[in-house]
Amino acid sequence: MRPRRPRSALTLLSTLTTAATLALATAGPATAAERPAPVRHAAAHDVAPGLSPVTELLAQRLLLADKVAAAKYGTDTPIDDPEREARILDDVRARAAGLGLDPDAVAAVFRDQIEANKLVQRGLYARWDAHPAERPTERPDLAKEVRPALDRITTQLLAALDATERARALPSCGPRLATAAVRSAYTHRLDALHLKALGRALPSVCAAP
């Protein structure tokens, strides 16, 4: 198995932020309730064939961070949960090995997703602390509703990483990934917070050729 090396997070984030800001300028940010339902993966295949399924799942996972934050806010449940994070990473390593993927490389991708999710949670906490009127009025069930949805995306993302292994090893992966991420950001009308988190989710997706 060829060793993998994360692409520059700064380069990807800069490309993503600039292009997505221009693309979203006319649409404006949407609240969680206003965001359109996730599109099927094939809808973005014309933009970056082979990589849009990955960025679609990353965006969907970030939108679930809103529900994670709403479930935890005002409770004793911390944003950081090292034990659960370790279990997730151990699980994806084992499942990656079963798919013939590099376990450490796949774990790095999921570690980025965890950190991106926490970035959204912290941003929402700060927003809700500053603007009480924007605080969630309902508390999703973390165990029965939110985590099962995250688990489903984990399974789908593992399959997408397997299907895109060759595409992610190409020298063109970085710009193609950024292009696909811009399309996903536009499709889901990500606001500034979620756009920043999407940039945080990208660095480990591409592999060194």
Side-chain angles (χ1 to χ4, degrees):
M1 180 65 64
R2 186 185 298 117
R4 297 168 184 262
R5 180 177 66 242
R7 298 283 181 177
S8 167
L10 181 60
T11 299
L12 285 175
L13 179 56
S14 176
T15 302
L16 173 62
T17 301
T18 301
T21 298
L22 291 173
L24 291 169
T26 58
T31 64
E34 294 171 334
R35 294 188 185 104
V39 298
R40 294 180 62 84
H41 295 161
H45 76 279
D46 56 318
V47 176
L51 294 177
S52 54
V54 174
T55 60
E56 279 295 299
L57 290 167
L58 303 190
Q60 290 174 32
R61 196 179 193 283
L62 286 176
L63 293 179
L64 279 174
D66 293 37
K67 289 190 173 184
V68 176
K72 293 180 177 181
Y73 187 74
T75 73
D76 294 332
T77 304
I79 290 177
D80 290 283
D81 188 347
E83 291 185 2
R84 175 172 170 76
E85 293 168 19
R87 289 197 301 271
I88 291 172
L89 296 178
D90 287 345
D91 175 62
V92 298
R93 280 192 180 93
R95 294 166 69 180
L99 292 170
L101 298 173
D102 182 340
D104 290 337
V106 170
V109 172
F110 278 89
R111 189 184 302 279
D112 283 344
Q113 308 321 303
I114 291 170
E115 293 304 319
N117 190 289
K118 292 191 290 187
L119 190 157
V120 172
Q121 292 181 58
R122 294 190 182 100
L124 290 176
Y125 274 30
R127 183 184 301 172
W128 296 337
D129 286 344
H131 305 284
E134 297 183 16
R135 292 174 182 172
T137 56
E138 298 181 359
R139 190 181 304 282
D141 190 310
L142 193 60
K144 295 181 180 180
E145 176 185 355
V146 184
R147 285 177 176 165
L150 289 170
D151 291 342
R152 285 192 294 272
I153 289 180
T154 292
T155 297
Q156 293 171 336
L157 184 52
L158 281 165
L161 292 174
D162 184 31
T164 60
E165 184 179 19
R166 292 184 63 184
R168 292 184 296 106
L170 294 173
S172 61
C173 177
R176 291 175 63 211
L177 179 65
T179 300
V182 168
R183 176 59 183 267
S184 295
Y186 180 80
T187 297
H188 295 278
R189 297 174 62 191
L190 301 186
D191 61 16
L193 174 60
H194 293 79
L195 189 59
K196 180 179 179 182
L198 183 57
R200 178 64 185 87
L202 296 177
S204 296
V205 172
C206 289

